[in-house]
Amino acid sequence: MSSESETVDEVLARDLGSLQQLSEAQLEGLMQLVIGFLIDSKGSGFQEKLGVYSETHGLGGSALKSMVRASLLFLQRGVRAGWVAGQVASACVGMGLNEECAGTISRCWAQQSSNLTSTLLSKIVSANQLMDVDWSFGVTAASDDSDQVGKTFLQMRLTVEQGSGPRDLHMELSLEQFYHFMAQMEKAKAYLDFVAA
C-alpha cells in the first residue's frame, strides 16, 4: 500500500482503475486468465500463461502484477457474494471503472459464471464432506419442566471430513426441528443435483 491511510477498497479501486488503460482485447484476455485461475485454483500453468500474455501485449512488471492482484481480489469477492453479470458491472462502476471496461469484465464473468459456481460448490462440498450419520430417537420420561415430559427428540452425530481430518458434530433436535432440518437437507440435495446436472 502506498499510504497507511488508504483503505483496502481504495487501493483495490486504484489498481482496478489501471485496467482502463488496456484495450478491450487486452482486458478480455486478462480477465479470461484471471477467471481461469479462479476456476483452476491449483494455478496449473497460470504463470506461463501470464508470461505469454505479457509478451503478446507488451505489458509487464509491477503494473501487470497489480492489475492481476486487484482483478483476483475483486472477482473473488464476486464469487463469494454470488454475483451475476449485472452485479459485476455495477460493482465495477462502483469501483470507478468506466462503462466499457465494466461491460467487458461482466461479459467475461457471464461466460464463465457456471464454471465458477461449480468450482466453488465443489470446494465447499469437498471441504466438509459428510462421512457418517448416527441417530437415535428418544422420549423425555422426566424433566423439571412438565411440558417436556413425553416429548420426542432426536440425537444425531454427524461425522464430517474436514481439512484436518474427521470431526464429530453432535445435535439434539425436537421433532419439529428434525422435520425442518430434513426439509433443509432435501433442498440442499435438490440444489446440488441441479448444479451437478
Short mmCIF file of all heavy atoms in Angstrom, two decimals, residues 18 21-22 26 30 33 47 49-69:
data_model
loop_
_atom_site.label_atom_id
_atom_site.label_comp_id
_atom_site.label_asym_id
_atom_site.label_seq_id
_atom_site.Cartn_x
_atom_site.Cartn_y
_atom_site.Cartn_z
N SER A 18 -6.43 0.97 -13.27
CA SER A 18 -5.40 0.83 -14.30
C SER A 18 -5.84 -0.12 -15.42
O SER A 18 -5.26 -0.10 -16.50
CB SER A 18 -4.07 0.37 -13.68
OG SER A 18 -4.23 -0.89 -13.06
N GLN A 21 -6.65 1.36 -18.91
CA GLN A 21 -5.59 1.67 -19.88
C GLN A 21 -5.47 0.60 -20.95
O GLN A 21 -4.84 0.82 -21.98
CB GLN A 21 -4.25 1.83 -19.16
CG GLN A 21 -4.24 2.94 -18.14
CD GLN A 21 -3.02 2.87 -17.24
OE1 GLN A 21 -2.15 2.02 -17.41
NE2 GLN A 21 -2.95 3.79 -16.28
N LEU A 22 -6.05 -0.58 -20.70
CA LEU A 22 -5.94 -1.70 -21.64
C LEU A 22 -6.99 -1.56 -22.74
O LEU A 22 -8.07 -1.02 -22.53
CB LEU A 22 -6.16 -3.03 -20.91
CG LEU A 22 -5.23 -3.35 -19.74
CD1 LEU A 22 -5.64 -4.67 -19.09
CD2 LEU A 22 -3.79 -3.41 -20.20
N GLN A 26 -7.12 -6.67 -24.83
CA GLN A 26 -6.18 -6.92 -23.74
C GLN A 26 -6.92 -7.21 -22.44
O GLN A 26 -6.56 -8.13 -21.70
CB GLN A 26 -5.26 -5.71 -23.54
CG GLN A 26 -4.26 -5.50 -24.63
CD GLN A 26 -3.48 -4.21 -24.45
OE1 GLN A 26 -4.03 -3.19 -24.00
NE2 GLN A 26 -2.20 -4.24 -24.81
N LEU A 30 -6.94 -10.68 -20.26
CA LEU A 30 -6.52 -10.69 -18.86
C LEU A 30 -7.62 -11.27 -17.97
O LEU A 30 -7.36 -12.08 -17.09
CB LEU A 30 -6.14 -9.28 -18.40
CG LEU A 30 -5.60 -9.18 -16.97
CD1 LEU A 30 -4.31 -9.98 -16.83
CD2 LEU A 30 -5.38 -7.72 -16.59
N LEU A 33 -7.74 -14.99 -18.24
CA LEU A 33 -6.67 -15.59 -17.44
C LEU A 33 -7.02 -15.62 -15.96
O LEU A 33 -6.85 -16.65 -15.29
CB LEU A 33 -5.37 -14.79 -17.62
CG LEU A 33 -4.51 -15.09 -18.82
CD1 LEU A 33 -3.36 -14.10 -18.90
CD2 LEU A 33 -3.99 -16.50 -18.77
N GLN A 47 1.32 -18.99 -14.38
CA GLN A 47 2.48 -18.12 -14.56
C GLN A 47 2.95 -18.12 -16.02
O GLN A 47 3.28 -17.07 -16.56
CB GLN A 47 3.63 -18.55 -13.63
CG GLN A 47 3.37 -18.28 -12.18
CD GLN A 47 3.29 -16.79 -11.86
OE1 GLN A 47 3.88 -15.96 -12.53
NE2 GLN A 47 2.53 -16.45 -10.83
N LYS A 49 1.06 -18.81 -18.69
CA LYS A 49 0.05 -18.11 -19.48
C LYS A 49 0.17 -16.60 -19.30
O LYS A 49 0.03 -15.83 -20.25
CB LYS A 49 -1.35 -18.57 -19.09
CG LYS A 49 -1.66 -20.00 -19.48
CD LYS A 49 -3.01 -20.43 -18.94
CE LYS A 49 -3.24 -21.91 -19.15
NZ LYS A 49 -4.45 -22.39 -18.48
N LEU A 50 0.44 -16.19 -18.07
CA LEU A 50 0.61 -14.76 -17.79
C LEU A 50 1.86 -14.22 -18.50
O LEU A 50 1.85 -13.10 -19.02
CB LEU A 50 0.70 -14.53 -16.29
CG LEU A 50 0.54 -13.11 -15.79
CD1 LEU A 50 -0.80 -12.52 -16.24
CD2 LEU A 50 0.65 -13.05 -14.28
N GLY A 51 2.92 -15.03 -18.54
CA GLY A 51 4.13 -14.64 -19.26
C GLY A 51 3.88 -14.46 -20.75
O GLY A 51 4.34 -13.49 -21.36
N VAL A 52 3.12 -15.39 -21.34
CA VAL A 52 2.77 -15.29 -22.76
C VAL A 52 1.92 -14.05 -22.99
O VAL A 52 2.13 -13.30 -23.95
CB VAL A 52 2.04 -16.57 -23.24
CG1 VAL A 52 1.44 -16.38 -24.62
CG2 VAL A 52 2.97 -17.76 -23.20
N TYR A 53 0.94 -13.81 -22.10
CA TYR A 53 0.08 -12.62 -22.20
C TYR A 53 0.93 -11.36 -22.14
O TYR A 53 0.75 -10.43 -22.93
CB TYR A 53 -0.96 -12.63 -21.06
CG TYR A 53 -1.79 -11.37 -21.02
CD1 TYR A 53 -2.94 -11.25 -21.79
CD2 TYR A 53 -1.42 -10.30 -20.21
CE1 TYR A 53 -3.70 -10.09 -21.75
CE2 TYR A 53 -2.17 -9.14 -20.17
CZ TYR A 53 -3.31 -9.04 -20.94
OH TYR A 53 -4.05 -7.90 -20.91
N SER A 54 1.86 -11.33 -21.20
CA SER A 54 2.74 -10.17 -21.02
C SER A 54 3.55 -9.88 -22.29
O SER A 54 3.64 -8.74 -22.73
CB SER A 54 3.67 -10.42 -19.84
OG SER A 54 4.61 -9.39 -19.72
N GLU A 55 4.13 -10.93 -22.88
CA GLU A 55 4.92 -10.76 -24.10
C GLU A 55 4.05 -10.35 -25.28
O GLU A 55 4.43 -9.48 -26.07
CB GLU A 55 5.67 -12.05 -24.43
CG GLU A 55 6.79 -12.36 -23.48
CD GLU A 55 7.43 -13.70 -23.76
OE1 GLU A 55 7.27 -14.24 -24.88
OE2 GLU A 55 8.11 -14.22 -22.85
N THR A 56 2.88 -10.98 -25.40
CA THR A 56 1.98 -10.70 -26.53
C THR A 56 1.52 -9.25 -26.53
O THR A 56 1.45 -8.61 -27.57
CB THR A 56 0.76 -11.63 -26.49
OG1 THR A 56 1.22 -12.98 -26.49
CG2 THR A 56 -0.16 -11.41 -27.67
N HIS A 57 1.19 -8.74 -25.35
CA HIS A 57 0.60 -7.40 -25.26
C HIS A 57 1.59 -6.33 -24.81
O HIS A 57 1.21 -5.18 -24.62
CB HIS A 57 -0.60 -7.43 -24.32
CG HIS A 57 -1.71 -8.31 -24.81
ND1 HIS A 57 -2.47 -8.01 -25.92
CD2 HIS A 57 -2.17 -9.50 -24.37
CE1 HIS A 57 -3.36 -8.96 -26.12
NE2 HIS A 57 -3.19 -9.89 -25.21
N GLY A 58 2.85 -6.71 -24.60
CA GLY A 58 3.85 -5.73 -24.23
C GLY A 58 3.64 -5.14 -22.86
O GLY A 58 3.99 -3.99 -22.61
N LEU A 59 3.07 -5.92 -21.97
CA LEU A 59 2.85 -5.46 -20.59
C LEU A 59 3.74 -6.27 -19.67
O LEU A 59 4.09 -7.40 -19.95
CB LEU A 59 1.39 -5.67 -20.18
CG LEU A 59 0.34 -4.92 -21.00
CD1 LEU A 59 -1.04 -5.43 -20.66
CD2 LEU A 59 0.44 -3.43 -20.71
N GLY A 60 4.07 -5.71 -18.54
CA GLY A 60 4.88 -6.46 -17.60
C GLY A 60 5.16 -5.67 -16.35
O GLY A 60 4.63 -4.56 -16.15
N GLY A 61 5.97 -6.24 -15.53
CA GLY A 61 6.40 -5.56 -14.33
C GLY A 61 5.32 -5.40 -13.29
O GLY A 61 4.34 -6.15 -13.23
N SER A 62 5.51 -4.38 -12.48
CA SER A 62 4.62 -4.17 -11.34
C SER A 62 3.22 -3.75 -11.76
O SER A 62 2.25 -4.03 -11.05
CB SER A 62 5.21 -3.13 -10.39
OG SER A 62 5.35 -1.89 -11.06
N ALA A 63 3.09 -3.09 -12.92
CA ALA A 63 1.76 -2.67 -13.37
C ALA A 63 0.87 -3.88 -13.64
O ALA A 63 -0.28 -3.93 -13.18
CB ALA A 63 1.87 -1.80 -14.62
N LEU A 64 1.40 -4.85 -14.37
CA LEU A 64 0.62 -6.06 -14.66
C LEU A 64 0.34 -6.83 -13.38
O LEU A 64 -0.77 -7.32 -13.17
CB LEU A 64 1.36 -6.94 -15.67
CG LEU A 64 0.64 -8.23 -16.07
CD1 LEU A 64 -0.71 -7.93 -16.72
CD2 LEU A 64 1.51 -9.06 -17.01
N LYS A 65 1.33 -6.90 -12.51
CA LYS A 65 1.16 -7.62 -11.24
C LYS A 65 0.04 -7.00 -10.41
O LYS A 65 -0.80 -7.71 -9.85
CB LYS A 65 2.48 -7.60 -10.47
CG LYS A 65 2.47 -8.43 -9.21
CD LYS A 65 3.85 -8.42 -8.57
CE LYS A 65 3.86 -9.25 -7.31
NZ LYS A 65 5.18 -9.26 -6.67
N SER A 66 -0.01 -5.67 -10.32
CA SER A 66 -1.05 -5.03 -9.53
C SER A 66 -2.42 -5.18 -10.20
O SER A 66 -3.43 -5.33 -9.51
CB SER A 66 -0.73 -3.55 -9.28
OG SER A 66 -0.77 -2.83 -10.49
N MET A 67 -2.48 -5.19 -11.54
CA MET A 67 -3.76 -5.41 -12.23
C MET A 67 -4.28 -6.83 -11.96
O MET A 67 -5.47 -7.01 -11.71
CB MET A 67 -3.59 -5.21 -13.74
CG MET A 67 -3.55 -3.77 -14.18
SD MET A 67 -3.59 -3.65 -15.99
CE MET A 67 -1.93 -3.17 -16.33
N VAL A 68 -3.39 -7.81 -12.03
CA VAL A 68 -3.79 -9.19 -11.79
C VAL A 68 -4.24 -9.36 -10.34
O VAL A 68 -5.28 -9.96 -10.07
CB VAL A 68 -2.64 -10.17 -12.13
CG1 VAL A 68 -2.94 -11.58 -11.65
CG2 VAL A 68 -2.39 -10.17 -13.63
N ARG A 69 -3.48 -8.83 -9.40
CA ARG A 69 -3.82 -8.95 -7.98
C ARG A 69 -5.18 -8.29 -7.69
O ARG A 69 -6.03 -8.88 -7.04
CB ARG A 69 -2.73 -8.32 -7.11
CG ARG A 69 -2.99 -8.48 -5.62
CD ARG A 69 -1.92 -7.83 -4.75
NE ARG A 69 -1.78 -6.42 -5.04
CZ ARG A 69 -0.68 -5.84 -5.48
NH1 ARG A 69 0.41 -6.54 -5.68
NH2 ARG A 69 -0.64 -4.55 -5.73
#
